[in-house]
Amino acid sequence: MSVETQRESLLNAPALLFMSAVVLIAFWILFPRQPAFRDPANLSAKDALSVAYLRVLVQSDPGNAPLRLSFVQVLTEAGMTDEAVLAMEPLQNAPESGLTYEIRLAELKLALQQLYRHPPRDVEASLRRRIGELVPLLLRLADNDKESNQVVLLAEQFGEPSVVAETFEQLAGMQNETRQTKSRWLAFAAKQRLAAAQPRAAAQNFCRAFTFERIARKKTELAKACLGAYLQAGVDREALKAAMQILSAYSSSNADAQLLLLAADVAQPMGDRDHALVWLEQASAHLPADQRLAERVVRLQVSMGLLSEGLARAPMLRASLIPGSERQRLLAHLYDWNGQPDEALALWLSFARHKADEEAETRAFALAQAKPDNEAIVQLLEAVMSRRKLTTTEADAYVKAGLAVAQPSRVEKQLRRHAERFGNPPPILNALVEVLVLQGKPDAALTLYEDMPEIQDGRQRLALARLYEEAGNTQKSFQLLLRDIDSPPPASAEEYWLLLAKVSTQLGQDAYAGQAYEKALALRSNDVEILENLQRLALRHHDEKKSERLARYGWERLKRIEDLQRLMRFSWKRRNWDELDQWLEVAEKLPSAAQARDYWYFQSMRRMAHGEQSAARGALQEILKLQAADPEVTEAMIWLLLAYEKIDRVLLDSVVAPYRAQTASQSTVNPALAEALAAAEQGLGRPVQAAAWFLRSLSTRAGDFLWILALADNMEWAGCPAHANYARFQALEMFASRQNSRIEVKYPSRLAEYFFGSKYLPPKREGTEDAKKQEELQSIRDQWGFGGKLDNADYFALRREVERLELSQWKDFAKAVRNRNEREVERQLALISDHLKRQPAAASHPDMLPLSIDDVDRANRWLAGEPEPNPSDLATELDICRETLTKIREFPVNSEPAKR
């Protein structure tokens, strides 16, 4: 192919299009897609083509300011400073335009670039002067934060931060600038002050900037920066004032949480706890899940004494507690000081178990003992055992609590392990001895004592003496205690004297026991048990003076009703009735007197002595409420009730009822009570039951004329008329043989003695029915020779037999006996004897004494009529009647009766 043909083939249309595309792509790659004067950043200073391209353009159009500016920027970036200076000169005198900021910024960068090359001093000074002029100028020319920040970054490279800061502060002082611009410059100045390590000046600038700022977000940032700078500088009154002024611009709901925390950080060290607490609580409202903040609030509340307010956040803090942490200590204090011992104990106990801490151990121990919580005490002290030796108090508490919640063997095992770990400390060995004794192992305890150091002081001897006493070696314990009797251990004096008293009592050494109890009472003046032990010793030795002295001591110091009752008894024994009445008057005011038997005992006695039957009856009822079926009181109550004209049958039956099942028992009912029960059952219309008690009473009254007559009437009511008549015949024989003498039955002194005979009778008043009855009874007593005092049984029988003893035939018989008309007496007795042999239950003949109750009744009536026949005889009547008659017949009629 020829050359022309080849040229034509290269210059055809498709080839030209392809080459054009290659050239366009090359230019697109080599040159920017936008003009250089519009965006110089698109030119790469590393690209020689860009610099060359711009140089050509500037040379072609030297008056094009944007193009020259782009050329200067690229040269500066490429480090071609000298050429950049030459290129910059025409721009320095350029008129004000939209490129003024860019031109001055490029000049500033170029000056900084020259300064970095360390020029001569005169040049450096000139450069610095020019830079100082350019920075304020650029800040004034900046239209937004981005441009200002760009100037600030360049200024920071210029020199000392304090110098830059002063420049910004001066700019802020210009009158013709906007508030927003001043805020921005002050913020720049503050940052430079921080860089210059001048936080207080920075804080002041931030606060000034805060006052100029209008945008809420930036305002909050400036406020936080201000308070942060003050915290860095060290808080003072100025910082607190600034914090208060800043937060006054916010409401409680829109204040920033971090800002509130910074304000609290300022206020709290300055002692303004009120503001600090308010700000912390507001911050906590914004951050409800922040436990550290909640803990800080609680700590501040506790320090201010707001203990109850701190409890509100306690549950949240307890949700994630680390045992042994300071937060746990805070909560333990909070619950403890708020008077919630259960929660406080749980926290202190957990703290002490996980960490050795004296305060936690002390408070947990005190709270557990005060509760008391034995389980907590055991857990605490077992944790402490592994760290240190227990004190004596702790060891004693561990033994007491451990035995309450665990097996003694476990407590013993723990104490032995603790003793081995810490070299057998004496408090632990003593506690171990106590546990062994409580387990019933005194020998093992003594063996342990043998391994202890030599016993030298009184306290150790006391512990050993107690151990000997527990082991049953009382004599050895006594001998050991006597060694210190003149100087017992001061710290254990009470324990010493009580143990000596106990051991002495067991050995029968009453002198030592009395001395020991007296010493113990001097140390424990209100100890009732010691006082009672002294009373028992006085009673054992019949020392009534000492007993009365102790009773007075007990009453005057302790106001015990028991001691007052003892004083009553001593007054009664001396028959000092005025003193007894005084004691009773004192006792009436005591609530405890209602449960005091002796008080009611003497009250009934004195009320009866004053003729107050109803009061005496009430007092006896109170005794029976306290001590049902009391024999002495029952006897007195029966005779008192039977003395009334109208008997209270319901009350009398309730008094007698407890004894109805005891008629066969010889030990529970004494003869005096048997007489009263016989009279009571007869008064209740129960002659068969009364017959059994009458039989019991014959052990002392088989020769009592009046009692036998009352007994015979009861036999007749029980359905034994024949035996009743024989008993009456036996009574008449007794009366005739005694020549008008009466047996006086003697019983031990008892309450019923104050209720017998004439004491039943009301005061004698002339012309009254009561006076006539008294005269009638006295007349009968004179006729029949019943002189002296009548006891309860005889007085009861006399009242029952009034109608019989007033019959003329019976009076004649008494007169014959009194006048010793033996012929008439024998005649009457013979008539009765013959009548009983024929028909023992039949009615009496007119010429003989009326025997039966029916005979007496008909003898007292006019025109009584013929009696009904009664065929009853001894063989057909009740066995109890036969036993009773046999008992009566055993009495020696013809001999002088002995007084019982």
Side-chain angles (χ1 to χ4, degrees):
M1 182 180 297
S2 64
V3 176
E4 293 183 0
T5 303
Q6 293 180 354
R7 185 181 300 116
E8 290 178 359
S9 64
L10 291 173
L11 295 175
N12 60 17
L16 290 174
L17 288 174
F18 177 77
M19 292 180 65
S20 299
V22 171
V23 171
L24 289 174
I25 292 172
F27 274 96
W28 184 78
I29 294 173
L30 294 173
F31 299 101
R33 290 174 296 277
Q34 295 180 0
F37 58 85
R38 293 184 179 273
D39 190 359
N42 288 327
L43 295 174
S44 175
K46 296 180 181 180
D47 193 339
L49 290 175
S50 296
V51 174
Y53 171 70
L54 286 174
R55 183 182 293 116
V56 171
L57 291 178
V58 169
Q59 289 175 356
S60 64
D61 188 6
N64 190 332
L67 185 60
R68 184 173 289 276
L69 175 61
S70 297
F71 183 50
V72 171
Q73 291 172 342
V74 172
L75 289 173
T76 302
E77 183 179 352
M80 302 170 70
T81 308
D82 295 336
E83 187 177 357
V85 170
L86 294 173
M88 188 67 192
E89 289 179 359
L91 292 175
Q92 290 179 347
N93 299 318
E96 294 288 337
S97 65
L99 292 177
T100 303
Y101 173 80
E102 294 291 340
I103 292 172
R104 300 300 172 223
L105 184 63
E107 185 180 359
L108 176 61
K109 290 181 179 179
L110 181 57
L112 289 172
Q113 187 73 19
Q114 289 177 284
L115 190 63
Y116 292 154
R117 295 172 65 183
H118 302 290
R121 290 185 179 181
D122 55 342
V123 177
E124 180 181 352
S126 176
L127 288 172
R128 287 186 179 278
R129 183 169 58 254
R130 181 55 182 163
I131 291 172
E133 294 172 353
L134 287 172
V135 169
L137 177 61
L138 282 168
L139 288 173
R140 286 195 299 271
L141 293 174
D143 291 331
N144 51 53
D145 288 346
K146 182 179 180 181
E147 293 180 351
S148 299
N149 290 334
Q150 193 174 11
V151 175
V152 170
L153 289 174
L154 293 173
E156 288 175 349
Q157 301 173 17
F158 163 64
E160 294 297 328
S162 59
V163 177
V164 180
E166 289 176 2
T167 302
F168 292 144
E169 289 167 359
Q170 291 173 3
L171 290 173
M174 295 181 180
Q175 298 294 328
N176 57 347
E177 298 296 338
T178 65
R179 298 175 64 88
Q180 198 69 22
T181 302
K182 290 182 178 182
S183 174
R184 187 164 59 250
W185 287 347
L186 287 170
F188 292 150
K191 293 177 182 178
Q192 293 304 309
R193 291 293 184 186
L194 287 176
Q198 297 174 342
R200 185 169 302 281
Q204 293 169 351
N205 285 331
F206 277 128
C207 288
R208 290 174 61 195
F210 172 81
T211 61
F212 289 119
E213 186 59 58
R214 287 291 178 264
I215 301 175
R217 177 181 58 80
K218 292 184 177 180
K219 196 176 185 72
T220 301
E221 291 176 357
L222 289 171
K224 291 190 284 187
C226 171
L227 297 182
Y230 270 123
L231 289 171
Q232 185 177 345
V235 295
D236 55 8
R237 301 304 302 176
E238 178 185 341
L240 178 59
K241 183 179 179 181
M244 295 174 66
Q245 289 177 346
I246 288 172
L247 286 176
S248 64
Y250 295 90
S251 63
S252 59
S253 59
N254 63 4
D256 184 81
Q258 187 179 359
L259 177 60
L260 290 166
L261 290 174
L262 289 170
D265 290 339
V266 171
Q268 201 166 350
M270 292 301 298
D272 191 350
R273 297 185 295 180
D274 293 331
H275 279 101
L277 179 59
V278 171
W279 294 332
L280 287 176
E281 288 180 336
Q282 291 176 4
S284 181
H286 290 290
L287 303 171
D290 192 328
Q291 291 192 346
R292 290 186 178 181
L293 178 56
E295 180 181 352
R296 183 177 175 184
V297 173
V298 172
R299 286 190 183 280
L300 184 55
Q301 288 173 329
V302 170
S303 68
M304 296 172 66
L306 304 175
L307 301 178
S308 57
E309 289 81 351
L311 287 175
R313 291 178 173 82
M316 181 182 73
L317 296 178
R318 290 190 71 175
S320 58
L321 270 184
I322 299 175
S325 64
E326 288 305 307
R327 180 181 295 177
Q328 187 174 29
R329 186 193 301 275
L330 171 65
L331 291 179
H333 276 305
L334 185 62
Y335 284 116
D336 203 352
W337 294 338
N338 270 289
Q340 297 188 17
D342 293 342
E343 289 78 2
L345 174 58
L347 290 168
W348 283 126
L349 179 60
S350 173
F351 196 109
R353 292 181 66 188
H354 286 83
K355 183 178 180 180
D357 185 87
E358 183 178 357
E359 181 186 24
E361 293 171 3
T362 302
R363 286 306 301 151
F365 185 64
L367 290 170
Q369 279 197 310
K371 194 173 179 180
D373 188 337
N374 293 324
E375 187 69 34
I377 292 174
V378 171
Q379 293 178 10
L380 171 67
L381 295 181
E382 286 185 353
V384 172
M385 280 181 184
S386 62
R387 302 193 290 253
R388 62 170 176 82
K389 291 188 290 186
L390 295 184
T391 64
T392 302
T393 303
E394 290 171 340
D396 294 341
Y398 177 72
V399 170
K400 181 179 178 181
L403 293 177
V405 300
Q407 293 295 326
S409 58
R410 183 180 184 279
V411 178
E412 178 188 349
K413 181 179 179 181
Q414 292 290 335
L415 289 173
R416 286 190 183 278
R417 184 182 301 168
H418 184 59
E420 291 173 1
R421 177 176 296 175
F422 293 100
N424 296 325
I428 304 305
L429 292 181
N430 290 330
L432 185 56
V433 167
E434 183 179 352
V435 173
L436 291 172
V437 171
L438 291 174
Q439 291 185 86
K441 301 177 181 178
D443 294 334
L446 285 171
T447 302
L448 188 64
Y449 256 114
E450 293 175 357
D451 297 335
M452 293 175 64
E454 185 180 356
I455 298 175
Q456 297 177 349
D457 59 20
R459 183 172 179 79
Q460 291 175 322
R461 282 192 294 271
L462 174 61
L464 185 57
R466 187 190 310 107
L467 194 55
Y468 277 121
E469 192 272 333
E470 292 287 347
N473 194 342
T474 310
Q475 185 63 41
K476 183 69 174 178
S477 175
F478 178 70
Q479 293 173 355
L480 201 59
L481 290 169
L482 286 182
R483 293 174 57 181
D484 297 309
I485 193 169
D486 294 327
S487 57
S492 309
E494 293 181 15
E495 187 180 358
Y496 170 82
W497 290 117
L498 288 173
L499 181 60
L500 178 59
K502 179 181 179 181
V503 171
S504 301
T505 303
Q506 293 175 358
L507 294 175
Q509 299 283 351
D510 288 353
Y512 285 108
Q515 178 186 356
Y517 278 128
E518 291 281 0
K519 295 287 188 180
L521 185 62
L523 296 172
R524 298 169 62 171
S525 57
N526 296 331
D527 194 305
V528 174
E529 185 178 357
I530 295 175
L531 198 59
E532 289 297 326
N533 286 326
L534 285 170
Q535 283 285 7
R536 280 191 282 272
L537 287 173
L539 182 64
R540 183 187 301 174
H541 293 278
H542 307 288
D543 191 345
E544 293 194 352
K545 288 185 178 181
K546 183 176 181 180
S547 179
E548 185 173 5
R549 176 177 62 81
L550 292 170
R552 286 188 180 276
Y553 174 90
W555 167 244
E556 292 172 359
R557 181 176 289 273
L558 306 178
K559 299 300 179 184
R560 293 199 318 143
I561 189 63
E562 293 84 357
D563 294 307
L564 187 57
Q565 289 182 112
R566 289 189 177 100
L567 294 174
M568 293 178 192
R569 189 165 293 277
F570 287 121
S571 299
W572 169 70
K573 286 183 178 181
R574 292 192 295 266
R575 296 295 188 266
N576 190 339
W577 306 119
D578 292 337
E579 187 178 55
L580 177 58
D581 290 340
Q582 290 176 2
W583 293 131
L584 290 172
E585 185 179 353
V586 171
E588 286 178 2
K589 303 174 184 177
L590 300 177
S592 56
Q595 303 296 319
R597 179 191 181 279
D598 284 2
Y599 162 73
W600 293 113
Y601 183 93
F602 293 115
Q603 188 73 277
S604 65
M605 182 188 301
R606 296 305 297 153
R607 289 290 179 260
M608 197 63 207
H610 294 302
E612 301 174 13
Q613 287 184 327
S614 297
R617 172 177 167 177
L620 292 177
Q621 285 182 272
E622 292 295 332
I623 301 176
L624 291 176
K625 288 179 184 178
L626 298 174
Q627 189 175 352
D630 184 294
E632 183 180 6
V633 180
T634 300
E635 179 193 0
M637 189 68 170
I638 290 173
W639 293 127
L640 178 59
L641 293 174
L642 291 175
Y644 286 91
E645 289 295 329
K646 185 178 181 180
I647 299 175
D648 187 342
R649 292 180 175 273
V650 176
L651 179 56
L652 182 60
D653 186 74
S654 66
V655 172
V656 175
Y659 295 91
R660 285 185 178 140
Q662 302 180 24
T663 53
S665 174
Q666 297 294 327
S667 59
T668 57
V669 179
N670 57 57
L673 178 57
E675 297 167 4
L677 291 171
E681 294 286 18
Q682 190 183 85
L684 291 171
R686 298 166 59 90
V688 176
Q689 287 78 7
W693 295 117
F694 272 113
L695 176 60
R696 294 273 297 275
S697 69
L698 291 178
S699 61
T700 54
R701 291 197 179 271
D704 191 314
F705 173 67
L706 287 173
W707 188 250
I708 298 300
L709 290 181
L711 179 152
D713 288 352
N714 187 77
M715 292 173 73
E716 184 172 345
W717 288 326
C720 303
H723 283 86
N725 285 336
Y726 269 105
R728 295 181 183 110
F729 174 66
Q730 197 73 18
L732 289 171
E733 283 188 324
M734 293 177 189
F735 184 78
S737 66
R738 288 183 292 146
Q739 298 181 356
N740 204 25
S741 63
R742 182 177 63 85
I743 291 179
E744 183 179 355
V745 180
K746 291 289 186 179
Y747 291 127
S749 178
R750 64 201 192 284
L751 186 61
E753 292 180 358
Y754 296 89
F755 292 84
F756 69 77
S758 61
K759 291 187 180 295
Y760 283 140
L761 300 177
K764 182 176 180 180
R765 294 187 295 274
E766 297 295 336
T768 62
E769 187 68 24
D770 292 333
K772 291 179 180 180
K773 289 181 179 180
Q774 290 188 48
E775 292 176 358
E776 181 182 358
L777 288 175
Q778 187 60 45
S779 174
I780 294 173
R781 294 181 64 178
D782 293 340
Q783 291 175 4
W784 285 87
F786 301 146
K789 293 182 179 180
L790 295 180
D791 60 15
N792 290 302
D794 281 339
Y795 190 81
F796 169 79
L798 175 62
R799 291 179 62 192
R800 288 285 184 174
E801 302 300 324
V802 167
E803 292 185 16
R804 181 186 302 277
L805 298 178
E806 282 191 321
L807 290 176
S808 58
Q809 296 94 321
W810 283 75
K811 288 181 179 180
D812 292 341
F813 183 80
K815 183 178 180 180
V817 173
R818 187 172 62 253
N819 296 333
R820 298 186 179 181
N821 188 348
E822 296 181 1
R823 183 176 179 181
E824 178 61 22
V825 171
E826 290 177 357
R827 187 183 71 82
Q828 281 291 343
L829 293 176
L831 288 174
I832 295 172
S833 178
D834 292 341
H835 174 74
L836 293 176
K837 290 177 182 179
R838 293 193 302 272
Q839 291 180 322
S844 301
H845 297 300
D847 55 347
M848 62 178 284
L849 296 178
L851 293 180
S852 68
I853 297 174
D854 185 59
D855 291 343
V856 173
D857 182 60
R858 286 186 298 103
N860 283 317
R861 288 188 289 115
W862 293 95
L863 303 175
E866 294 295 326
E868 296 181 1
N870 192 339
S872 182
D873 57 22
L874 298 178
T876 60
E877 293 178 354
L878 298 176
D879 292 339
I880 189 70
C881 298
R882 185 161 44 255
E883 293 176 17
T884 303
L885 182 59
T886 302
K887 189 72 173 178
I888 294 172
R889 285 174 172 173
E890 291 175 357
F891 185 77
V893 175
N894 296 319
S895 64
E896 185 68 21
K899 292 185 178 181
R900 296 177 177 84

